[in-house]
């Protein structure tokens, strides 16, 4: 039942995304001109991204990363139930983004970012010569955090 509630929330929020600015511009990254929904709905969840001793693991779920321009309304949703969403690099540098905008992202309309989790663990770990960056329902200009 809760799974259907998450889907219903995503659907209901998407109905508010009618219209939006349809203008375009020249740039080097993706451009989204229409209403956009990025949704990941998981039930008995395990999403793992690992790299080990060589390091660097990057995980993006319902996320815009890099040089992205969004001119329409946007919904970014990660739903989870009995979950584990993990990101590990053990040799160093792990980045995890859930329902986030990271880097040079421009949004010119309404934006909703949500991570809904129950009975869950959202883990980000780097280890050794560490750098661990985790973004959950956030906006940041730090795409590499060097």
């Amino acid at each position: 039942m809760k799974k259907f509630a998450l889907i219903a929330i995503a659907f209901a929020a998407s109905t508010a995304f009618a219209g939006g600015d349809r203008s375009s511009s020249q740039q080097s990254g993706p451009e989204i001109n229409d209403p956009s929904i990025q949704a990941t709905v998981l039930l008995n969840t395990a999403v793992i991204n690992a790299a080990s001793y060589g390091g660097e693991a990057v995980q993006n779920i319902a996320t815009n990363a890099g040089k992205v321009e969004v001119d329409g309304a946007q919904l970014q949703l990660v739903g989870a139930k009995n979950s584990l969403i993990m990101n590990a690099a053990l040799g160093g540098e792990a980045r995890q983004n859930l329902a986030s905008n990271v880097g040079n992202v421009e949004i010119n309309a309404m934006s909703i970012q949500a991570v809904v989790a129950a009975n869950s663990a959202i883990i980000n770990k780097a280890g050794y010569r560490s750098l661990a960056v985790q973004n959950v329902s956030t906006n940041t200009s730090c795409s590499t955090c060097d």
Side-chain angles (χ1 to χ4, degrees):
M1 188 66 170
K2 291 180 184 179
K3 177 179 165 182
F4 294 116
L6 287 174
I7 294 170
I9 289 170
F11 180 74
S14 68
T15 60
F17 293 149
D21 184 21
R22 305 245 191 267
S23 65
S24 65
S25 64
Q26 298 295 325
Q27 65 182 28
S28 61
E31 183 175 334
I32 302 167
N33 292 317
D34 294 316
S36 171
I37 297 175
Q38 296 172 318
T40 303
V41 180
L42 309 163
L43 187 54
N44 296 324
T45 319
V47 177
I48 298 171
N49 181 35
S52 205
Y53 298 107
E56 186 164 339
V58 177
Q59 179 167 282
N60 296 309
I61 301 173
T63 297
N64 291 319
K67 185 172 175 67
V68 180
E69 183 174 335
V70 181
D71 287 330
Q74 181 179 32
L75 169 66
Q76 294 168 289
L77 172 68
V78 176
K81 185 169 180 188
N82 300 325
S83 46
L84 167 69
I85 297 174
M86 183 177 182
N87 182 38
L90 304 183
E93 182 146 355
R95 296 184 303 261
Q96 177 169 283
N97 301 300
L98 306 175
S100 298
N101 291 309
V102 181
N104 187 8
V105 178
E106 182 178 334
I107 299 176
N108 295 317
M110 180 182 75
S111 176
I112 298 172
Q113 297 165 277
V115 174
V116 180
N119 306 331
S120 46
I122 297 174
I123 299 169
N124 182 38
K125 177 180 176 141
Y128 190 52
R129 297 190 183 225
S130 296
L131 170 64
V133 177
Q134 178 170 280
N135 297 300
V136 179
S137 296
T138 59
N139 294 310
T140 181
S141 62
C142 179
S143 61
T144 61
C145 293
D146 293 335

